[in-house]
Amino acid sequence: MAISPGRDAAFSCQKSALSESLRTKKFPLTEEEIFYMNCRAAYLTVFKSSLENIISKEQLYLALQHAGRNPSQKTINKYWTPETAKLNFDDFCIILRKEKPTSKAELLKSFKQLDVNDDGCILHADLYKLLTKRGEKMTREEVNAVTSLADVNADGKFDYIKFCKLYVTTNEQCLKTTVEKLEVDSKLRRQQFGNHIEEPPERDPSSVPKPSPRIIRKTEQETFSNKGDTRSSSLATTRKFKTSISFTITMGANSNRNSKLTEPNSIKEWQCVQSKGCFFLEEDGEIISHQYRMQIAQRSMVYLTIKPLNLSQVEGKPSPWLSIDTALYILKENESQANLQLMCFTELRNREVFGWTGELGPGIYWLIPSTTGCRLRKEIKPVTEEAQLVYRDETGELFLTKEFRSTLSDIFEVIDLDGNGLLSLEEYNFFELRTSGEKCDEDAWAVCRDNFDTKKNELTRQGFMDLNLMEANDREGDPRDLWVTLHSMGYNKALELTEACPFVIDIYGDKCKPRIKAVHMEACSGQLEKAICKSVLNKGDARVMDGHENIIVHTYKRDTWITSVIENKSDNKVIIHINNELSKNCVNNRGLNIFAVEVAPKSTMVCQHVMPVNERQEWIYYWRKRRTLLSSSSCLDGPAGGACLRAARWEPGTTEAHSTE
């Protein structure tokens, strides 16, 4: 935001671009994760879902192209035989394992054998003979298309060095574009392997639940039915499908009455500390929030609660964040921040308040807020009318509208983490990191003190208002930078808070006053994922998948939501297909009825959270899972096939075979 004429350019530019790397810390992907991300990206470019099947050679060819391959007809025929009816996503991944992208060095080596003058070029006459007489023979028109490419042809010669560079660059760009498309489409990214179910099949509600017609049966295993090719048949035997596990959980209306949160009797005598924070929904569907460090000086009984923050409510405007679920996981720091031990979480509820009571020993604890994502999700309803943020009076002076001032006052309330009615530099920097991706340094803060109302080196509410008015004046009334701030804080064009959920944490101690400090604003993953998995494994019901004792589904029922975790004790990666079609009055955090998740060997992962759409009505969670085993060794069997050069129908590494024809 603008501070003064001397610093406004540098200070205001903090609002002009969002720095994603400073908002969330991304862990580097492994080679295996990158491979499957590329597979999914390519597949979902051709199909709406990775549960759909490839049903033609043309679809297979197109999907391989989007994966950066360029297969010959011979390669296609190797995987699509006369007996083949369809291939699925697993088959596609196996093909990509075998058909490696052709490297520039391989291409150059192949063409170089035809370069009689060793000048990086091949005469058109020689190229014509090669392409029409050997390998996959091309027509005269196809050869002319190659020799007419202006960038790689001159003076009757084909410049194969330029051509190879162009070919590799095109393949890489094709794959890059495909992955970028997946990254942009947050719905596809969140579903992992999931699909959109346009219309659920008609069914009699009173009938026995039946598997979804989109779920693959045991009889559909043999999608690679190539009897004459042992390499293809080996692909089929590496996959094992098992009709999995299904169960129904019926939750009554207002089921939270069974485990109601109650305050300790002597709570008024305990010492209390409070801190606020906020969940923010990112463009890709990821949720980030403040995270806290808590210090307990001596062993004490502790009472912790978290609930949505009740902001000023304008009549006629919804307050959707008040119905969003909140939770708090408490982890103890042992020796280092990397070594955290789950101590407890707020599993009891009283209306919108979730809490926990128990004894904690002296030490450092990390408080990680959590929300399932079932209700905090991207807004679907479009906003037709944009709210006015500023206006000019009859003299031309610029003012903030009453509605915008009210919104700014609410934002101030959210970012005033300690609730003292003032913004410290530390509190303001959480706001700056969220809205601009940058921090305000001490020098800029000194300028802020000189230009705006402050108390005790902290910015007042009026000073915060004036800071925004200064920014509007610096832009001559153009509200675009102000809208960047508002969108970053979760507001839509109607100034409704729809993509954020502010919350407040209260901590009571009977023997000492706890100390709490916000230290990060990060994605709700990593340590949180581990904490959720551990809590579900400790308290949930476990069910083994049929015939596979190493694949366990853990389900934990809380008062208002259900969480399922998949534990894979095997040495192989597994893909679990989930079908929620028969659930009633339910919403899950993925927003999909049918999807699939991949679980790495020797690991656990959160499969999904489920909540009722209407808590006043009964809700039924019907869960069906099918498992696919991916053997880590069989996926790598067979020779590494070179991708074929589509334009020339030329397979690198086969020059000698062709030359002896």
Side-chain angles (χ1 to χ4, degrees):
M1 292 185 177
I3 293 294
S4 69
R7 294 184 183 264
D8 62 346
F11 205 76
S12 298
C13 72
Q14 295 178 5
K15 298 292 181 187
S16 63
L18 302 178
S19 174
E20 202 65 34
S21 61
L22 289 174
R23 289 191 190 171
T24 56
K25 293 183 180 179
K26 304 294 183 183
F27 296 99
L29 297 176
T30 64
E31 288 187 14
E32 194 74 1
E33 289 171 330
I34 293 172
F35 171 75
Y36 276 100
M37 179 181 68
N38 291 341
C39 291
R40 288 196 294 272
Y43 207 85
L44 293 174
T45 301
V46 181
F47 304 101
K48 290 183 179 179
S49 157
S50 55
L51 298 182
E52 291 187 29
N53 291 320
I54 299 171
I55 59 173
S56 69
K57 288 184 177 182
E58 290 73 23
Q59 287 183 343
L60 175 59
Y61 181 84
L62 188 59
L64 289 173
Q65 271 199 324
H66 281 290
R69 282 24 171 210
N70 229 324
S72 66
Q73 193 60 48
K74 178 181 176 182
T75 301
I76 295 295
N77 290 339
K78 181 168 68 172
Y79 299 106
W80 194 279
T81 70
E83 291 81 19
T84 304
K86 59 188 174 182
L87 303 175
N88 62 22
F89 176 74
D90 299 333
D91 301 324
F92 180 68
C93 292
I94 294 171
I95 292 173
L96 292 184
R97 290 275 192 191
K98 291 178 171 289
E99 302 301 327
K100 306 293 184 181
T102 306
S103 70
K104 183 179 178 181
E106 289 174 316
L107 287 173
L108 288 172
K109 181 179 178 181
S110 299
F111 279 115
K112 192 172 180 63
Q113 298 179 56
L114 303 173
D115 183 3
V116 294
N117 296 321
D118 197 24
D119 60 357
C121 295
I122 302 173
L123 292 173
H124 283 176
D126 294 338
L127 187 66
Y128 178 82
K129 291 178 182 179
L130 170 70
L131 298 181
T132 59
K133 303 296 184 183
R134 299 176 181 177
E136 293 182 48
K137 300 177 180 62
M138 295 177 65
T139 65
R140 179 181 295 274
E141 289 73 19
E142 288 175 319
V143 177
N144 289 339
V146 175
T147 57
S148 63
L149 293 172
D151 292 340
V152 296
N153 291 278
D155 301 324
K157 293 182 179 181
F158 172 71
D159 189 330
Y160 66 85
I161 294 179
K162 288 184 178 179
F163 180 76
C164 291
K165 182 179 179 181
L166 179 64
Y167 165 78
V168 172
T169 302
T170 302
N171 268 4
E172 290 174 350
Q173 185 59 44
C174 181
L175 181 57
K176 180 182 177 183
T177 301
T178 302
V179 173
E180 286 175 349
K181 182 179 179 182
L182 180 65
E183 288 292 313
V184 170
D185 194 331
S186 61
K187 195 78 170 180
L188 291 179
R189 210 175 112 176
R190 288 202 311 277
Q191 72 184 353
Q192 296 194 42
F193 290 96
N195 73 314
H196 300 272
I197 187 75
E198 288 79 12
E199 291 292 336
E202 295 183 5
R203 55 182 178 273
D204 181 0
S206 63
S207 64
V208 177
K210 297 179 180 179
S212 164
R214 311 265 317 251
I215 297 298
I216 302 173
R217 314 289 193 270
K218 289 178 72 174
T219 56
E220 296 176 327
Q221 292 181 28
E222 300 303 320
T223 56
F224 271 99
S225 55
N226 183 355
K227 299 178 181 179
D229 190 335
T230 58
R231 289 172 297 182
S232 295
S233 63
S234 69
L235 292 176
T237 58
T238 61
R239 299 189 319 283
K240 301 176 183 177
F241 297 118
K242 288 289 181 181
T243 310
S244 57
I245 178 174
S246 63
F247 55 84
T248 302
I249 299 175
T250 301
M251 303 287 284
N254 296 320
S255 58
N256 60 300
R257 289 174 295 185
N258 296 327
S259 55
K260 188 174 181 179
L261 173 70
T262 56
E263 291 184 348
N265 294 329
S266 57
I267 190 71
K268 292 182 179 179
E269 301 172 6
W270 294 18
Q271 300 181 69
C272 178
V273 65
Q274 184 183 87
S275 185
K276 289 179 281 189
C278 194
F279 297 109
F280 295 104
L281 187 62
E282 298 286 67
E283 286 299 319
D284 61 2
E286 190 173 43
I287 296 173
I288 72 169
S289 77
H290 295 83
Q291 296 183 7
Y292 306 83
R293 201 164 180 255
M294 177 180 72
Q295 184 175 359
I296 302 291
Q298 66 182 95
R299 183 171 295 277
S300 301
M301 288 295 296
V302 176
Y303 175 63
L304 303 103
T305 63
I306 183 173
K307 65 178 181 180
L309 181 63
N310 194 1
L311 300 172
S312 62
Q313 299 179 38
V314 179
E315 186 176 354
K317 278 195 173 184
S319 304
W321 73 91
L322 293 178
S323 64
I324 291 173
D325 57 283
T326 59
L328 196 61
Y329 287 81
I330 296 89
L331 294 83
K332 186 173 184 180
E333 184 176 301
N334 295 319
E335 297 179 357
S336 68
Q337 181 182 337
N339 185 17
L340 300 181
Q341 176 188 359
L342 175 65
M343 302 300 294
C344 55
F345 60 97
T346 53
E347 56 183 322
L348 301 181
R349 180 193 184 199
N350 183 6
R351 294 188 175 181
E352 77 278 5
V353 182
F354 287 85
W356 174 85
T357 305
E359 188 177 58
L360 292 177
I364 303 298
Y365 297 83
W366 286 81
L367 306 184
I368 306 181
S370 170
T371 183
T372 61
C374 294
R375 293 177 178 168
L376 181 57
R377 54 205 313 171
K378 300 301 291 183
E379 189 178 29
I380 299 175
K381 180 184 67 175
V383 177
T384 55
E385 187 173 351
E386 181 178 304
Q388 185 178 354
L389 304 184
V390 295
Y391 70 95
R392 294 188 184 276
D393 65 5
E394 60 276 5
T395 66
E397 187 175 354
L398 196 67
F399 292 90
L400 306 179
T401 64
K402 180 180 178 181
E403 190 175 17
F404 184 35
R405 289 183 64 86
S406 175
T407 300
L408 287 175
S409 182
D410 283 346
I411 290 176
F412 184 92
E413 200 67 36
V414 172
I415 63 179
D416 176 20
L417 300 182
D418 60 11
N420 71 343
L422 300 169
L423 293 183
S424 66
L425 174 58
E426 196 169 47
E427 290 171 328
Y428 183 77
N429 272 334
F430 277 114
F431 170 72
E432 277 297 315
L433 283 172
R434 177 62 199 163
T435 57
S436 73
E438 299 179 5
K439 284 187 176 183
C440 172
D441 59 25
E442 291 286 351
D443 291 340
W445 190 246
V447 176
C448 184
R449 290 200 311 268
D450 294 340
N451 287 270
F452 303 105
D453 187 34
T454 59
K455 289 182 181 179
K456 299 178 181 179
N457 198 34
E458 296 187 333
L459 190 65
T460 66
R461 190 183 302 263
Q462 184 59 49
F464 183 68
M465 297 285 184
D466 293 340
L467 194 57
N468 282 272
L469 179 59
M470 176 73 79
E471 181 173 351
N473 273 302
D474 287 344
R475 299 294 178 266
E476 297 182 348
D478 187 339
R480 282 180 293 184
D481 284 355
L482 299 176
W483 278 117
V484 170
T485 297
L486 290 167
H487 290 324
S488 298
M489 294 300 293
Y491 286 87
N492 64 15
K493 289 290 187 179
L495 294 182
E496 297 168 338
L497 186 60
T498 57
E499 295 187 359
C501 173
F503 56 79
V504 58
I505 298 170
D506 289 291
I507 309 172
Y508 297 81
D510 71 335
K511 295 290 196 314
C512 66
K513 184 175 183 178
R515 295 172 60 188
I516 182 174
K517 180 180 181 180
V519 290
H520 298 305
M521 187 187 291
E522 293 184 349
C524 297
S525 57
Q527 288 288 357
L528 177 60
E529 173 94 1
K530 293 178 183 178
I532 293 174
C533 287
K534 188 168 184 178
S535 66
V536 172
L537 264 62
N538 289 341
K539 292 179 173 283
D541 297 326
R543 299 198 184 195
V544 176
M545 296 195 77
D546 296 343
H548 295 281
E549 61 182 13
N550 288 328
I551 310 299
I552 305 169
V553 178
H554 301 265
T555 306
Y556 179 52
K557 296 184 293 182
R558 300 183 66 169
D559 295 329
T560 50
W561 72 79
I562 297 171
T563 298
S564 62
V565 166
I566 300 173
E567 182 181 12
N568 178 14
K569 293 183 176 181
S570 73
D571 295 322
N572 299 314
K573 183 178 301 180
V574 296
I575 296 174
I576 307 294
H577 297 258
I578 292 94
N579 186 343
N580 293 327
E581 286 182 293
L582 298 184
S583 295
K584 294 182 179 179
N585 187 30
C586 289
V587 60
N588 66 51
N589 63 306
R590 296 178 181 274
L592 304 164
N593 286 326
I594 298 176
F595 60 92
V597 293
E598 179 184 299
V599 190
K602 306 291 185 183
S603 70
T604 58
M605 71 165 293
V606 176
C607 176
Q608 65 176 335
H609 304 285
V610 178
M611 294 187 71
V613 176
N614 186 343
E615 290 187 26
R616 297 180 180 179
Q617 298 177 3
E618 179 184 75
W619 51 295
I620 300 174
Y621 173 39
Y622 175 79
W623 208 63
R624 177 179 172 82
K625 284 185 168 53
R626 177 179 66 80
R627 167 182 178 266
T628 304
L629 170 66
L630 293 183
S631 172
S632 57
S633 59
S634 61
C635 285
L636 297 174
D637 288 345
C644 175
L645 181 56
R646 174 71 179 92
R649 303 291 204 276
W650 177 265
E651 292 188 349
T654 60
T655 307
E656 292 183 2
H658 287 308
S659 64
T660 58
E661 286 181 1

